[in-house]
Amino acid sequence: MKASIVLSALTAFTLKASADCFSTRLGYPCCSGNDVVYTDNDGKWGVENGNWCGIADTPSSAACWSLSQGYPCCSSSNAEVWYTDASGKWGVENGDWCGIPTGSTGGNTGGNNDDIDVTPGEQFTHNGNPFANKEFYINPYYVKEVEGAIAQMSDSSLIAKAEKMKTFSNAIWLDSIKNMQSWLESNLKGALAQQNASGKDVLTVFVVYDLPGRDCHALASNGELLANDGDFTRYKSEYIDVIEGHLKTYKSQPVVLIVEPDSLANMVTNLDSTPACRDSEKYYMDGHAYLIKKFGVLPHVAMYLDIGHAFWLGWDDNREKAGKVYAKVISSGAPGKVRGFTDNVANYTPWEDPTLSRGPETEWNPCPDEKRYLQAIQKDFKSAGIQSVYFVCDTSRNGKKVDRKHPGEWCNQTGVGIGARPQASPVSGMEYLDAFYWIKPLGESDGTSDESAARFDGYCGHETAMKPAPEAGQWFQKHFEQGIKNANPPL
């Protein structure tokens, strides 16, 4: 079987594993009720909690059992069996799953046994740079998002650029308990199937992002858990412990975890000015200690703590304070180990900007780009006694200097461009830079521009924030299109 067909089937396998109805593949939940508001080619839609949801079709007959799970029946009762689960036998047609009608024996079952192997093997252990000599896993949900974006395009050159986006790896965000339950194991299985089929180590990158009181200095991406003891217990038992269990099961494949973006940087700069950050401090610090103890002892898992970006912690006093905060956090998680740190997550600061220097324009920041920031903070963290100081820089949206008039602007900036492609050890002479990687998926909004929305943040209404913008994490077509047009290097 051609490799492209195998990869299509692997993508379909991952999406199927987390789907309850057709709408989950499109980024919307399933409805709990059956009130139809709208019908299109995808299916029947309802509205619950102010958001669209999909209504699962009731199968017209027992033979067409897969309809209730959002998948069609295969065109032939003798279709090749690719996978069998409690629901029934599954085939693949047109790169997507279909249910083989009940009562049929199905055709050749070679695909199920030979091509979709999700049996964990021997323990994998990271040795050195976790990104080096790995095949990067392609996020199937993002592939579907891009396919949806392409369907809205008419410009052939833009479509060609968008098609290329489907070939690059980016991180999978576990930004709620529900999304973690949907996306963690299914993508671990998908990566393992790819690894077992190719014989190459396949690296999957997840973002752990659900601390109580999350994003305490902003509103656009506040999370589901509040800064209280009850929700901290949920964070540990329903989120971190569940992640740990799946990681222990899928021990034969490399995994990277990007840990709680913005959280510790807020502990460095915003405790005095923001009451919500003071309320969250205990849960941020104790949460990191808990997860480091859990994940940091797993030999196939490498963790990177978030350090904001050049225009957050770049100043000398902020970097010095950061060294103390991060050293304390890492030691609190012993015996767990941390590989390093990630910068520029979901931000726009260029890797290099020779037009900027320490002066009034940069508020006397000696680190006005990410390269200079990492060069400086690497020395500071070493001086603070941190032993393992390596970095992953998010280059998903920093290929072009955006239009922002102040470097602190972070929401849906106009002028955006895709940056350097995901790559291990990308810069000669910076052996402590493990990778450039796309952590924030281009096209997913930073926050809504609707001033009446509960999670509206003033930054998303600023002059250089693109409008109108949907809620954080929802698809933002115009921002995606601008990002691929301005890609540097070009797509």
Side-chain angles (χ1 to χ4, degrees), residues 173 209 214-215 218-222 262 344-348 394 396-397 402 404 408-414 416 439-450 455-461 464-466 468-477 479-480:
W173 287 63
Y209 189 51
R214 187 180 77 192
D215 218 353
L219 296 174
S221 49
N222 287 164
D262 293 352
N344 206 41
V345 173
N347 206 262
Y348 301 87
D394 186 355
S396 61
R397 305 189 301 178
V402 293
R404 61 188 181 186
E409 299 282 357
W410 54 265
C411 190
N412 298 321
Q413 291 300 287
T414 56
V416 63
I439 299 173
K440 170 72 174 184
L442 176 71
E444 295 185 2
S445 175
D446 293 322
T448 181
S449 59
D450 180 359
R455 296 205 304 172
F456 172 73
D457 190 294
Y459 277 92
C460 299
T464 59
M466 187 179 288
E471 288 279 1
Q474 293 184 5
W475 190 254
F476 195 175
Q477 181 78 10
H479 207 239
F480 175 75

Side-chain angles (χ1 to χ4, degrees), residues 18 27 30 160 165 198 214 289 294 308 320 344 356 366 373 412 423 427-428 488 490:
S18 63
C30 297
M165 291 292 292
S198 69
R214 187 180 77 192
K294 292 282 187 175
E320 180 182 2
N344 206 41
L356 293 180
Y373 175 48
N412 298 321
Q423 179 185 354
V427 179
S428 177
N488 179 29

Side-chain angles (χ1 to χ4, degrees), residues 242-261:
V242 176
I243 294 173
E244 177 196 27
H246 288 310
L247 292 176
K248 284 183 174 179
T249 297
Y250 295 92
K251 63 182 182 178
S252 61
Q253 61 202 93
V255 173
V256 159
L257 299 180
I258 307 299
V259 175
E260 298 292 354

Side-chain angles (χ1 to χ4, degrees), residues 68-137:
S68 64
Q69 300 189 36
Y71 292 87
C73 279
C74 298
S75 58
S76 170
S77 61
N78 292 316
E80 180 178 1
V81 179
W82 279 83
Y83 181 67
T84 301
D85 62 12
S87 301
K89 296 178 180 179
W90 294 89
V92 174
E93 291 183 353
N94 301 316
D96 203 0
W97 289 99
C98 58
I100 297 174
T102 55
S104 65
T105 58
N108 190 329
T109 60
N112 180 42
N113 296 325
D114 298 331
D115 293 304
I116 308 294
D117 179 9
V118 290
T119 305
E122 296 298 317
Q123 176 70 57
F124 179 90
T125 300
H126 282 294
N127 182 19
N129 184 350
F131 290 82
N133 303 311
K134 305 293 191 305
E135 187 173 288
F136 296 165
Y137 179 65

Side-chain angles (χ1 to χ4, degrees), residues 141 266 293 329 346 417 489:
Y141 178 72
N266 274 314
K293 289 176 182 177
V329 167

Side-chain angles (χ1 to χ4, degrees), residues 17-36:
S18 63
D20 299 311
C21 63
F22 74 91
S23 60
T24 58
R25 293 179 289 161
L26 303 171
Y28 295 90
C30 297
C31 295
S32 58
N34 295 306
D35 293 334
V36 178

Side-chain angles (χ1 to χ4, degrees), residues 123-422:
Q123 176 70 57
F124 179 90
T125 300
H126 282 294
N127 182 19
N129 184 350
F131 290 82
N133 303 311
K134 305 293 191 305
E135 187 173 288
F136 296 165
Y137 179 65
I138 303 298
N139 180 350
Y141 178 72
Y142 188 70
V143 170
K144 287 291 185 182
E145 286 188 309
V146 173
E147 288 175 349
I150 291 171
Q152 301 178 53
M153 299 176 183
S154 57
D155 184 329
S156 60
S157 64
L158 195 63
I159 290 173
K161 294 177 187 295
E163 288 286 352
K164 292 180 182 178
M165 291 292 292
K166 293 158 55 177
T167 68
F168 294 105
S169 178
N170 57 22
I172 298 165
W173 287 63
L174 310 177
D175 56 358
S176 69
I177 292 170
K178 181 179 179 181
N179 284 346
M180 178 274 294
Q181 293 169 338
S182 296
W183 294 115
L184 177 60
E185 185 176 22
S186 63
N187 283 290
L188 286 171
K189 281 184 177 180
L192 180 59
Q194 183 178 333
Q195 177 170 294
N196 289 346
S198 69
K200 300 177 181 178
D201 295 328
V202 176
L203 174 67
T204 313
V205 179
F206 294 100
V207 180
V208 176
Y209 189 51
D210 203 27
L211 269 172
R214 187 180 77 192
D215 218 353
C216 61
H217 191 63
L219 296 174
S221 49
N222 287 164
E224 63 185 347
L225 301 179
L226 303 179
N228 60 54
D229 291 348
D231 277 4
F232 184 51
T233 298
R234 290 191 64 200
Y235 178 72
K236 292 186 290 184
S237 63
E238 297 180 37
Y239 186 72
I240 296 299
D241 290 356
V242 176
I243 294 173
E244 177 196 27
H246 288 310
L247 292 176
K248 284 183 174 179
T249 297
Y250 295 92
K251 63 182 182 178
S252 61
Q253 61 202 93
V255 173
V256 159
L257 299 180
I258 307 299
V259 175
E260 298 292 354
D262 293 352
S263 57
L264 293 180
N266 274 314
M267 296 296 95
V268 176
T269 63
N270 293 320
L271 282 179
D272 294 334
S273 63
T274 309
C277 290
R278 290 196 298 273
D279 293 342
S280 300
E281 180 182 12
K282 173 184 182 338
Y283 306 109
Y284 282 21
M285 303 301 279
D286 291 351
H288 275 82
Y290 188 81
L291 67 86
I292 293 171
K293 289 176 182 177
K294 292 282 187 175
F295 304 149
V297 296
L298 303 177
H300 63 298
V301 176
M303 279 191 297
Y304 296 82
L305 308 184
D306 182 71
I307 55 168
H309 53 84
F311 281 97
W312 192 340
L313 300 182
W315 289 266
D316 294 343
D317 54 345
N318 283 349
R319 296 197 321 273
E320 180 182 2
K321 186 176 180 181
K324 297 175 182 178
V325 170
Y326 285 82
K328 178 181 178 180
V329 167
I330 292 170
S331 64
S332 73
K337 302 293 184 182
V338 170
R339 169 68 182 179
F341 309 90
T342 184
D343 66 295
N344 206 41
V345 173
N347 206 262
Y348 301 87
T349 310
W351 173 246
E352 290 185 281
D353 188 351
T355 69
L356 293 180
S357 60
R358 187 172 193 167
E361 185 180 3
T362 62
E363 299 179 359
W364 306 99
N365 185 349
C367 306
D369 58 33
E370 293 304 306
K371 182 177 182 180
R372 280 177 277 186
Y373 175 48
L374 294 190
Q375 289 172 331
I377 207 165
Q378 191 266 346
K379 297 176 182 177
D380 295 324
F381 277 16
K382 283 289 188 181
S383 298
I386 300 174
Q387 296 182 351
S388 185
V389 185
Y390 298 90
F391 300 98
V392 176
C393 181
D394 186 355
T395 58
S396 61
R397 305 189 301 178
N398 72 343
K400 178 181 179 293
K401 192 172 182 178
V402 293
D403 298 333
R404 61 188 181 186
K405 296 180 179 179
H406 185 278
E409 299 282 357
W410 54 265
C411 190
N412 298 321
Q413 291 300 287
T414 56
V416 63
I418 275 282
R421 312 301 182 254

